[in-house]
Amino acid sequence: MQHKLIYILLTLASVITYGQVNLSLDADKAEYSGKDIVNLTIILELNGSDLVQQTGFQLPDLSKFNIIGSGSVTNTVIDPATNTLITQKVSRIALEPKKKGKIKIGSVLVTVNNKIYKTEPFDVNIKEIIDRRSLAANNTSNDVFLNMEIEDRDVYQDQPTIAVLRVYSRNIDNLRKVKNIHLPEQDNINVHPINFNKSEIDPSGYGNMPSQVLAMFMVFPNEAGFVEVPAVSASVSSYANKNKIVSNKVKINVRKLPEGAPECFKNAVGNFNVSVYNTTKEKPEAKRPLNVVVKVSGEGNLPDMELPKIVASPDYEVFAPKITAKVSPGTAGMKGEILANYVVIPNKSGAISIKTEQFAFFDPESREYIDLGQKALELNALSHDQIMEARSTVEKVNEYTNNLLETVNTPVLKTTSFKVKEKSKFHWNILFINIGILLGLFIVYLLFKTWQKKRTLVRETVPSKPLGSVAETEKEIRELLKTDINDYFGYLENLKDNGEYEKFFITLEELDQEVRNQYFQGSVAEFKTFLENHKGSSVAEEYNNLQQKVQMEKYAPVKSAEGLEELLKTIVNLYSQISK
């Protein structure tokens, strides 16, 4: 009886082990830094000779990683105890994370004997990307280092990705000394700044070091493949010296645009509209120039894209355009409009169609190409005789008078100034204002003559003073020209509080001009040289840094009251020191 029980147990054990399938997916660890490689191991174990793997491993969505390597090996053994064929297949995949934070890795699927097996999904944690080499390299700069972060490192060609420049230091005072930020430059990328506004200081950064965001900018890669964004440089200024620091480099994966692009597609990526219109107020006339504008508006790589041109035609002559841009940072690229102002001269009278080139763009959201086709401006150009017939009698007389005054010009009287303007009216208000101005000038003249006579009498009774030296004379003139800059300071404070930023910078330019006039210095460069020679190199350096800071704040897309408050303090301290 005992032998029968042992036999039954052995039989059950062989049945359990026979035909068993084990599938597993594991990562080498649960947390990674931004530079670590995520290694995934897939193990498939088949216990039984009648088990057949019908499909390969179906991997989960790994779009948040760059696959940098993979490999597999298969082992087959026979268990001598049970005489069972055991087949084991092991696959390794090396991944480079594109983003930070928690990333879910889904299930691996495989089909064995018409049955689908899958693994359980799990999460891996990618810590904040910090380049430790930049930390080691910048220990000489008062323990200050830069870090460039690009969250989305998987984009299409000519699609933007946002980069954030952050500074770290164990000493909070060092964060205020970082200046002169130079954004990366490279042929295969186009960089456009978003803002240079410093954020609030984060006291709990990497390694519990305080950190602060210095700048944000957009990177537009213009070629496919792995593109490395160069380092951003800045300077750490102190009273003793100035040190240069650089950030880390970031590699991004630039996907090639999909196949099937229209023939008219060039490099426009985003979402755009095209329109063409005539800005000339007069009626179109043959052999007379017209102003035709081709406007491209939308959001994407707007400043770097190739604009649609006006197609050449025997019906008109077209000249090279003047390009003007009105763009600002958006959520999916640079948004705004680009205007191409053409001068077009119709070669004939009658119906004329001014057409643009066909234009197409790629929309990253829908992942498809959109062809807008050609845009046309329909005009009816009139001949000169038709224009003259359509004019009224008064307009014809004015035209004849203007032609006469343009062609006949005497050396005594400039007759072209008497040209009659079209549909002009006589304004009595202007006449009365001019008469009032003349009377005012006459009264001022009489007062001046009276004052001059009195001054002559006083000059005869008072003995003349010695002329003095040239330096003394120059000092007296400077005192006469000296402006109370405290009035400017109060006015700038009011403009800042009221949010009138445009008037703020206009008034600041007037203040700078007034101070330069006190020392008879016309340009900024001459004034810098003057300050270095007479006020010291430190004052000249502060003036140079102030000019750079003013330009950054003036052209920043978003202005903050805190930034202008700090700028105003610097202005008051520096100009008070210069005007002593």
Side-chain angles (χ1 to χ4, degrees):
M1 185 67 182
Q2 186 176 2
H3 293 289
K4 290 181 180 181
L5 183 59
I6 294 174
Y7 178 77
I8 293 172
L9 293 175
L10 291 175
T11 303
L12 291 175
S14 62
V15 170
I16 293 173
T17 57
Y18 185 76
Q20 187 176 1
V21 178
N22 295 321
L23 179 65
S24 64
L25 171 64
D26 295 309
D28 53 347
K29 53 184 178 180
E31 290 188 350
Y32 301 86
S33 66
K35 293 294 183 179
D36 289 343
I37 302 300
V38 179
N39 294 308
L40 299 180
T41 303
I42 306 172
I43 300 177
L44 174 63
E45 188 174 299
L46 305 176
N47 295 327
S49 58
D50 61 338
L51 297 176
V52 178
Q53 180 182 351
Q54 296 173 307
T55 61
F57 293 134
Q58 299 180 26
L59 300 179
D61 181 18
L62 299 177
S63 60
K64 297 181 180 179
F65 299 90
N66 293 322
I67 300 177
I68 61 176
S70 62
S72 61
V73 63
T74 302
N75 298 318
T76 302
V77 295
I78 297 177
D79 189 357
T82 60
N83 198 25
T84 303
L85 179 66
I86 300 176
T87 303
Q88 187 182 61
K89 184 175 182 180
V90 180
S91 294
R92 294 288 299 272
I93 303 175
L95 305 174
E96 181 185 21
K98 297 176 183 177
K99 299 181 178 181
K100 60 185 179 180
K102 278 191 176 183
I103 301 178
K104 180 179 289 295
I105 297 178
S107 302
V108 175
L109 304 179
V110 67
T111 303
V112 178
N113 286 11
N114 298 322
K115 185 177 180 181
I116 299 175
Y117 296 87
K118 70 175 184 177
T119 61
E120 293 296 328
F122 59 91
D123 295 332
V124 293
N125 187 22
I126 310 299
K127 294 182 178 179
E128 186 177 2
I129 303 172
I130 297 293
D131 193 348
R132 300 176 186 272
R133 292 176 297 176
S134 64
L135 174 61
N138 291 289
N139 281 335
T140 58
S141 303
N142 297 326
D143 197 21
V144 182
F145 70 100
L146 299 176
N147 186 65
M148 178 172 55
E149 305 170 4
I150 298 181
E151 185 172 352
D152 190 3
R153 293 191 285 169
D154 184 17
V155 294
Y156 281 108
Q157 184 177 343
D158 292 308
Q159 182 186 5
T161 181
I162 297 178
V164 178
L165 181 66
R166 189 182 293 270
V167 60
Y168 292 82
S169 178
R170 291 184 175 85
N171 187 355
I172 294 181
D173 293 336
N174 291 332
L175 301 181
R176 303 184 180 92
K177 301 177 182 178
V178 181
K179 302 177 181 178
N180 301 326
I181 301 171
H182 295 283
L183 300 182
E185 296 180 0
Q186 199 164 266
D187 293 337
N188 57 359
I189 62 172
N190 297 313
V191 177
H192 297 281
I194 297 177
N195 64 67
F196 290 93
N197 297 331
K198 293 184 178 181
S199 68
E200 297 293 333
I201 296 177
D202 183 7
S204 59
Y206 175 77
N208 292 326
M209 279 191 297
S211 65
Q212 186 179 36
V213 175
L214 295 180
M216 298 177 65
F217 53 94
M218 285 187 182
V219 179
F220 292 80
N222 53 41
E223 68 177 27
F226 287 100
V227 176
E228 187 175 66
V229 180
V232 181
S233 64
S235 62
V236 181
S237 302
S238 61
Y239 294 104
N241 52 14
K242 181 188 293 185
N243 296 318
K244 181 179 179 181
I245 56 177
V246 294
S247 71
N248 57 306
K249 301 176 182 179
V250 178
K251 184 180 291 185
I252 59 177
N253 179 33
V254 183
R255 287 178 284 173
K256 190 176 181 180
L257 295 177
E259 300 291 337
E263 294 183 359
C264 59
F265 174 77
K266 294 177 181 177
N267 67 334
V269 176
N271 195 349
F272 307 102
N273 290 315
V274 179
S275 61
V276 55
Y277 54 91
N278 177 22
T279 60
T280 305
K281 297 181 180 179
E282 292 80 9
K283 295 180 180 179
E285 182 179 350
K287 305 299 181 181
R288 296 293 296 269
L290 302 173
N291 290 325
V292 178
V293 175
V294 178
K295 182 175 77 171
V296 180
S297 59
E299 187 172 1
N301 63 333
L302 199 57
D304 308 313
M305 60 185 289
E306 190 171 344
L307 303 176
K309 302 176 183 177
I310 291 181
V311 178
S313 172
D315 295 341
Y316 53 83
E317 186 177 0
V318 60
F319 296 89
K322 178 183 178 182
I323 307 296
T324 57
K326 300 176 183 178
V327 296
S328 60
T331 57
M334 303 298 291
K335 64 179 181 180
E337 59 186 22
I338 303 291
L339 304 178
N341 197 331
Y342 289 86
V343 176
V344 179
I345 301 178
N347 293 329
K348 66 172 186 177
S349 59
I352 294 177
S353 180
I354 301 176
K355 296 181 179 181
T356 66
E357 295 177 337
Q358 287 186 319
F359 179 76
F361 62 89
F362 175 74
D363 188 357
E365 292 188 2
S366 60
R367 299 183 181 181
E368 62 180 4
Y369 294 94
I370 299 177
D371 190 353
L372 299 180
Q374 280 186 316
K375 300 296 179 180
L377 175 63
E378 304 296 338
L379 299 175
N380 184 21
L382 304 177
S383 63
H384 183 69
D385 295 336
Q386 292 174 327
I387 294 290
M388 295 301 296
E389 290 177 0
R391 292 185 177 182
S392 63
T393 304
V394 176
E395 290 176 340
K396 291 180 180 179
V397 172
N398 291 343
E399 177 71 17
Y400 177 78
T401 305
N402 290 336
N403 291 334
L404 179 64
L405 293 175
E406 285 180 350
T407 55
V408 180
N409 192 26
T410 65
V412 178
L413 182 63
K414 191 172 181 63
T415 57
T416 55
S417 62
F418 293 94
K419 287 178 61 177
V420 180
K421 296 183 179 180
E422 295 292 336
K423 299 180 180 180
S424 61
K425 296 181 180 179
F426 188 80
H427 297 281
W428 289 99
N429 293 334
I430 297 177
L431 177 62
F432 292 141
I433 292 173
N434 291 333
I435 293 175
I437 292 174
L438 291 176
L439 291 176
L441 292 175
F442 182 72
I443 294 172
V444 170
Y445 174 74
L446 294 178
L447 294 175
F448 174 74
K449 296 297 291 184
T450 304
W451 172 79
Q452 194 176 26
K453 290 180 181 180
K454 292 181 179 180
R455 187 179 179 187
T456 303
L457 294 175
V458 173
R459 188 182 299 135
E460 291 176 356
T461 57
V462 178
S464 59
K465 295 181 181 180
L467 295 177
S469 63
V470 176
E472 292 175 350
T473 304
E474 183 178 351
K475 183 177 180 181
E476 291 178 0
I477 295 174
R478 189 183 299 119
E479 291 295 331
L480 292 174
L481 293 175
K482 192 170 182 180
T483 306
D484 189 3
I485 61 175
N486 292 323
D487 297 338
Y488 278 99
F489 295 158
Y491 187 47
L492 289 173
E493 181 73 24
N494 293 334
L495 292 177
K496 175 186 69 66
D497 295 337
N498 296 332
E500 300 180 13
Y501 300 137
E502 184 176 356
K503 289 185 179 180
F504 179 89
F505 289 103
I506 293 175
T507 306
L508 179 58
E509 292 178 0
E510 295 176 358
L511 169 61
D512 184 68
Q513 183 67 38
E514 289 287 345
V515 174
R516 285 190 275 117
N517 289 340
Q518 293 179 13
Y519 295 96
F520 308 101
Q521 305 297 322
S523 64
V524 176
E526 293 175 353
F527 193 49
K528 291 179 184 178
T529 306
F530 174 81
L531 291 176
E532 188 171 358
N533 295 333
H534 295 81
K535 298 290 185 177
S537 59
S538 60
V539 177
E541 180 68 20
E542 290 181 9
Y543 180 77
N544 186 40
N545 293 336
L546 176 61
Q547 295 297 321
Q548 294 179 359
K549 191 172 182 181
V550 167
Q551 294 300 318
M552 291 173 61
E553 292 289 345
K554 182 178 180 180
Y555 296 104
V558 180
K559 297 178 176 60
S560 64
E562 294 78 6
L564 288 181
E565 178 69 27
E566 184 179 353
L567 178 62
L568 182 58
K569 291 180 180 179
T570 307
I571 292 169
V572 173
N573 294 333
L574 180 60
Y575 283 104
S576 299
Q577 185 177 359
I578 293 175
S579 298
K580 287 182 179 179

